Amino acid sequence: MAAPARRSWLQYLLHLAQDNLEFRLPEIKALLALRGKPFSPGLNFKEKIADGQRELIRSHSVKNRHFIGNTSMDAGLSFIMANHAKVKKHDLVFDPFVGTGSLLVACSHFGAYVCGSDIDYNTIHGKGRSSRKDQTWRGPDENIRANLRQYGTEKMYVDVMVSDASKPVWRDVALFDAVITDPPYGIRESTRRTGSQKETTKPADGIYAESHVAVSQSYHLSEILADMLNFSAHRLVMGGRLVYWLPVYRPEYCEEMVPLHPCLRLISNCEQMLSSHTSRRLITMEKVKEPEELDGLAHLSDPRFSAYQGHNTFREKYFSGLNKRHSKENKSDSNGDPII
């Protein structure tokens, strides 16, 4: 049998054109020269995937943002998290530790409706001391909504509220296309939740103190992560994604430290180094099944679903590493050796 005839380049291009794809012939001579590699004449026929959007890092820089805090997420990292979550137009995105709303700004840029919560009343309402060095108190219009207004995406703003992440106020139904957050590590922001370890007298139903201030207690990182995964398993739509930062002590890190859930599949685990001994991992998970009653007991039968208690000492290890470094530097300085 005769061999099939080979299609000409023209026939091949016409075939591709029917799929409405865009192709480019990139010039790689200069790039190869920079890398010290020889250039051989020829064409590199590439399919165009997307335009670069690095200008967003400059246009959305935290330095020029209307409302910021001590832990406002860098613009570049915020857009990376939105991309990991596959945020798209008309999605509903939630941040349970919203802070000053940097992640909401990034997600709203891609056309998603955004909402969030935080236990810090002053941050949610834009009150208290300012994080800017030349400003003592926050202004009257410093809030998350104003940030979205600054970038022309205020129409994507649903709302934010003061709420305790350990006690979800949402109905137990799948609501969100993505949960994107940066939970507190206890370094620059405290990890607190409402409640008390002391015995308290509960007032009768319908009777409330006029100036009641909720009592708070420590909220360990292992508990934060367990609650966050459980929340995502119940409130994400099928195929929805959870994207968050996990702080780790690098000398002790292993993949078993990444918390898992029976309803969530681990998609990616990327590292951002913070220092020689600490880093944080960008964790991306996707909902693959609806939660069942026995999923709440999964940690009893499979140790992979148990909370890793080592996360609770991250703060102590972080400052321990800093103290060791400062001690070493001071010792070198006293010996007359140069400090690097």
Side-chain angles (χ1 to χ4, degrees):
M1 185 175 68
R6 297 179 60 184
R7 290 188 294 182
S8 67
W9 270 101
L10 180 58
Q11 291 174 322
Y12 183 65
L13 291 175
L14 290 174
H15 173 72
L16 294 176
Q18 294 174 358
D19 295 327
N20 294 321
L21 300 176
E22 185 175 344
F23 290 82
R24 298 291 178 90
L25 296 173
E27 175 61 67
I28 65 169
K29 183 175 181 180
L31 179 61
L32 291 174
L34 289 175
R35 296 181 178 177
K37 297 182 179 180
F39 172 71
S40 56
L43 296 177
N44 286 270
F45 197 55
K46 305 292 185 181
E47 178 184 348
K48 179 182 176 183
I49 299 176
D51 289 317
Q53 300 187 58
R54 290 192 61 82
E55 71 279 357
L56 294 177
I57 299 176
R58 177 191 55 79
S59 63
H60 287 68
S61 172
V62 176
K63 296 179 181 179
N64 305 318
R65 191 164 297 171
H66 188 68
F67 176 48
I68 62 171
N70 294 330
T71 58
S72 293
M73 180 66 67
D74 172 80
L77 295 177
S78 298
F79 283 111
I80 288 175
M81 294 180 72
N83 283 331
H84 273 244
K86 292 186 174 181
V87 172
K88 60 186 182 302
K89 193 174 182 180
H90 302 313
D91 277 356
L92 180 60
V93 178
F94 177 68
D95 182 352
F97 303 98
V98 69
T100 57
S102 294
L103 298 178
L104 303 192
V105 169
C107 293
S108 67
H109 173 79
F110 295 118
Y113 293 97
V114 295
C115 56
S117 66
D118 203 288
I119 197 172
D120 191 330
Y121 177 93
N122 286 338
T123 300
I124 288 293
H125 291 278
K127 299 180 181 296
R129 300 188 68 87
S130 173
S131 298
R132 302 183 190 278
K133 63 179 182 180
D134 56 347
Q135 182 179 337
T136 305
W137 302 99
R138 289 186 172 126
D141 192 37
E142 287 193 45
N143 51 59
I144 297 174
R145 179 191 286 271
N147 277 350
L148 272 70
R149 185 185 308 125
Q150 178 182 354
Y151 299 110
T153 58
E154 185 180 5
K155 64 181 181 180
M156 313 311 300
Y157 178 81
V158 177
D159 209 347
V160 294
M161 61 182 175
V162 180
S163 178
D164 183 353
S166 69
K167 300 175 176 64
V169 298
W170 305 93
R171 290 180 297 169
D172 192 9
V173 294
L175 294 172
F176 305 113
D177 298 285
V179 174
I180 306 178
T181 192
D182 182 27
Y185 318 145
I187 306 300
R188 288 183 290 176
E189 295 290 343
S190 61
T191 54
R192 310 291 294 176
R193 64 177 174 181
T194 56
S196 174
Q197 296 178 347
K198 300 179 181 179
E199 293 186 5
T200 57
T201 303
K202 184 178 179 181
D205 293 340
I207 300 177
Y208 304 97
E210 293 183 1
S211 59
H212 172 71
V213 177
V215 179
S216 63
Q217 62 180 356
S218 297
Y219 192 15
H220 297 301
L221 187 56
S222 64
E223 298 170 329
I224 292 176
L225 298 173
D227 288 343
M228 184 174 61
L229 264 65
N230 191 52
F231 175 89
S232 300
H234 285 79
R235 271 80 179 189
L236 278 175
V237 300
M238 189 63 65
R241 289 195 168 190
L242 164 66
V243 181
Y244 70 96
W245 288 101
L246 172 68
V248 297
Y249 185 62
R250 299 186 71 237
E252 298 179 359
Y253 172 74
C254 60
E255 291 187 358
E256 287 71 22
M257 293 173 60
V258 179
L260 301 177
H261 191 281
C263 299
L264 303 172
R265 176 167 58 93
L266 181 63
I267 300 295
S268 65
N269 176 357
C270 310
E271 181 183 29
Q272 180 197 22
M273 290 187 60
L274 302 177
S275 68
S276 60
H277 60 283
T278 59
S279 66
R280 58 182 180 178
R281 321 284 304 196
L282 182 58
I283 307 298
T284 303
M285 309 184 82
E286 184 174 295
K287 183 174 178 178
V288 293
K289 80 180 190 75
E290 295 294 346
E292 301 174 1
E293 185 175 354
L294 294 179
D295 289 336
L297 303 176
H299 64 282
L300 299 177
S301 58
D302 192 335
R304 294 179 305 163
F305 301 124
S306 299
Y308 179 72
Q309 300 300 322
H311 291 309
N312 299 336
T313 58
F314 173 77
R315 185 178 188 276
E316 289 73 18
K317 293 172 183 175
Y318 176 86
F319 286 111
S320 174
L322 289 181
N323 293 335
K324 289 180 180 178
R325 188 182 71 182
H326 292 325
S327 176
K328 185 177 180 180
E329 290 176 351
N330 293 335
K331 184 177 180 180
S332 299
D333 189 32
S334 63
N335 293 334
D337 297 330
I339 299 177
I340 300 177

